[in-house]
Amino acid sequence: MQVNMAKQQHLDWDDFRLVKIIAEANGLAGAAERLGVNHSTVFRRLGQMEENLGVKLFERHRTGYVLTPAGEEMSALAEQMEENVTSFTRKLAGQAVAPAGELRVTTNDTLLVHMLTHLFSRFVKTNPEMRLDVVLANQALNLSKRDADVAIRATDDPPETLVGRRVATIAWAIYGRLEDFPDQHQPTDLNSPELYNRPWVALGDNLAALKAARFVRDRVAPENIVYKVNTVLGLAESVEAGIGIGPLPCFIADASPNLVRLSDVNPEFSAGLWLLTHPDLRQSARVRAFMDFMAAEIAKQRRWIEGSGRRPTDQAIATTTRPLT
C-alpha cells in the first residue's frame, strides 16, 4: 500500500473498524445504521481518512462500495485486531475465580420453551451472583467471537472448534391429535400405507436438514403435506390443532394430553443434546458452574427427553462427556 507520507496522519482503531464495517455493509447507509450515526457522519469520516492518507479506500459503484487494495489491507488489519481483542477477553473471562457475573447462553426457541426455562430459573436461584443473557437463534452463533459463552444445541455434529458434553439424545416419533385417534393404543408400523394417506404437517425449508424433515420429504407425497411451518414449536401446535399428523420431539408431544403417539420412537429422527463452549472458556468458573449444573439437571430428565418416560424430578442418570479439561 503506497501512502502519501506528506499527508499521513495518526490512525486509530475506530478508523480501521469503520473501513471494515463499510465493506461488510457494502455502503455508507448500512454502515451508518450499524454504528447508530447519520449517513453524513460516515461519509465525512471516510472522506477525512482518504484525504489524510492520500489514497482511496473504496471504489464507488452503483451496486455499492468496493475495497481498493489499500482498503483491503485496512479491513484485514481490522479483522485481525478484532480477533486479538476477542481472544484476550475470552482468556480473561476464563481466568475468573468465582462463578459471578453475566453468562450469555444461546439455544433455540423449542428447547427454551419446553425444557430449559425452568432449569435456568433454578440455576439463577442457586447462583445468585450470576446473571443469564439468553440469545435465541436456530443457527449457530460464533462462540469464538463471544456472541455467546455457552451453546445448548440439538445436533449430531457439534463444531470441532468447541468442547462440551452430550447430555442426552432427543427422541422423535410420529404424533396425531388424540381426538382424531381415540382408539390408538398400539404404535402404527412406519411402513403402513394407511399412515401416509393422511394429511401431514412438515417443517419449512429453513429446517430441511433436520432428520425429521427429510423423513417427511422422502416418505410423504407432496399433495399430502398440507401445512409447512418453519419452527418446531409451530409444528407441534399444528398437530394439536388437527391440521395433520407429523414428527415431533417426544419431550414436547408426550407432555400434551391432546396428542397421541402414532409410531414408536424412530432413531432416524434423533439428535444429540449438547452443552458447548469455546476451549478458552472451559476453565471459567461461570461456564463450569453453569455447564455442570445443566448437565446434572438434564440427566434427571433424560428418560423423558429420550421418549421412554414422563418428566422426572429426582432421577439421576449419568451423562456422556466430551471432556472440558
Side-chain angles (χ1 to χ4, degrees):
M1 176 175 68
Q2 298 297 320
V3 177
N4 187 332
M5 299 303 294
K7 293 186 175 183
Q8 184 179 5
Q9 293 187 8
H10 173 72
L11 289 172
D12 60 26
W13 158 241
D14 285 337
D15 295 326
F16 287 88
R17 179 168 173 261
L18 177 63
V19 172
K20 178 174 178 289
I21 290 174
I22 293 173
E24 291 173 346
N26 198 35
L28 303 186
E33 184 177 350
R34 283 184 56 179
L35 292 168
V37 298
N38 293 329
H39 177 281
S40 59
T41 301
V42 179
F43 177 81
R44 184 172 59 253
R45 284 179 58 188
L46 177 60
Q48 289 171 347
M49 260 195 295
E50 291 182 326
E51 174 66 21
N52 291 339
L53 292 171
V55 296
K56 288 292 184 184
L57 300 174
F58 290 91
E59 297 288 348
R60 279 72 165 170
H61 299 293
R62 279 186 290 181
T63 56
Y65 275 46
V66 178
L67 288 166
T68 63
E72 287 178 353
E73 289 193 41
M74 282 194 71
S75 182
L77 284 170
E79 180 72 27
Q80 183 179 335
M81 284 188 272
E82 188 176 271
E83 289 177 358
N84 289 341
V85 170
T86 302
S87 176
F88 176 71
T89 56
R90 270 203 320 265
K91 288 176 180 176
L92 285 183
Q95 293 170 6
V97 177
E102 183 174 276
L103 188 78
R104 177 170 286 191
V105 181
T106 180
T107 189
N108 63 43
D109 51 2
T110 304
L111 293 174
L112 180 73
V113 171
H114 285 279
M115 185 189 305
L116 298 178
T117 298
H118 72 284
L119 299 184
F120 291 166
S121 172
R122 290 183 209 167
F123 177 78
V124 295
K125 290 174 181 176
T126 306
N127 298 270
E129 299 301 315
M130 289 193 60
R131 306 181 306 278
L132 294 182
D133 179 6
V134 180
V135 181
L136 291 183
N138 284 318
Q139 286 74 39
L141 296 185
N142 191 334
L143 269 63
S144 296
K145 292 189 174 183
R146 294 297 303 278
D147 290 341
D149 301 307
V150 175
I152 305 177
R153 288 291 178 208
T155 179
D156 286 323
D157 188 26
E160 289 297 324
T161 55
L162 304 180
V163 294
R165 312 174 185 181
R166 179 173 177 142
V167 289
T169 298
I170 299 175
W172 290 60
I174 306 299
Y175 287 84
R177 184 172 62 169
L178 180 61
E179 180 182 331
D180 299 329
F181 298 89
D183 300 321
Q184 182 78 27
H185 303 299
Q186 296 295 327
T188 302
D189 189 330
L190 280 175
N191 293 317
S192 170
E194 176 190 354
L195 203 61
Y196 301 99
N197 290 331
R198 292 181 173 274
W200 279 68
V201 298
L203 290 167
D205 294 339
N206 67 313
L207 297 175
L210 290 184
K211 295 176 182 178
R214 292 201 302 267
F215 176 89
V216 175
R217 190 167 61 247
D218 293 343
R219 296 284 196 100
V220 182
E223 60 270 21
N224 287 342
I225 302 174
V226 299
Y227 186 84
K228 292 169 72 174
V229 62
N230 67 349
T231 71
V232 176
L233 286 178
L235 192 70
E237 290 292 318
S238 66
V239 175
E240 194 159 350
I243 296 175
I245 66 174
L248 294 174
C250 297
F251 74 88
I252 296 177
D254 288 346
S256 171
N258 301 317
L259 296 175
V260 60
R261 195 185 292 187
L262 303 180
S263 75
D264 287 326
V265 168
N266 190 340
E268 291 181 35
F269 301 167
S270 66
L273 180 61
W274 283 84
L275 305 176
L276 299 163
T277 190
H278 191 277
D280 287 347
L281 296 177
R282 60 186 168 185
Q283 298 300 336
S284 161
R286 293 195 303 270
V287 170
R288 292 195 70 92
F290 179 78
M291 293 183 72
D292 288 346
F293 179 91
M294 293 300 295
E297 290 297 315
I298 291 172
K300 298 174 185 177
Q301 305 185 43
R302 191 167 178 178
R303 290 187 68 249
W304 164 63
I305 296 168
E306 297 184 348
S308 58
R310 294 188 177 278
R311 177 186 289 182
T313 57
D314 56 3
Q315 182 180 11
I317 303 174
T319 65
T320 346
T321 302
R322 180 192 284 184
L324 287 173
T325 56

